[in-house]
């Protein structure tokens, strides 16, 4: 599977209310990935309007602050 680009988690926008990370797509829409999917090991964000995908570069412990921003606890303790 080929991806369009690799993006650091810090360069994405986190939406605490929807627990969604987004990043602009060249088609005009945005790549999307849920924090729980990332917690489960998923690292591919997809654009719902076209076939492009990006690799999201992150470490599991990076998600802890985003869970705090969303006001929720991670599904299980985050370990390094």
């Amino acid at each position: 599977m080929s991806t369009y680009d690799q993006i650091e988690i810090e360069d994405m926008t986190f939406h605490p209310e929807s627990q969604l990370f987004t990043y602009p797509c060249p088609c005009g829409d945005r790549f999307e990935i849920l924090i729980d999917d990332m917690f489960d090991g998923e690292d591919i964000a997809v654009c719902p309007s076209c076939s492009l995908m990006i690799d999201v570069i992150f470490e599991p412990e990076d998600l802890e602050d985003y869970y705090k921003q969303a006001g929720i606890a991670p599904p299980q303790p985050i370990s390094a």
Side-chain angles (χ1 to χ4, degrees), residues 15 19-21 23 25-26 37-38 41 45 48 50-52 60 63 70 75 80:
H15 306 274
Q19 301 165 24
L20 189 71
F21 286 89
Y23 189 80
C25 180
D37 291 339
M38 295 172 75
C50 71
S51 62
L52 294 179
L63 300 177

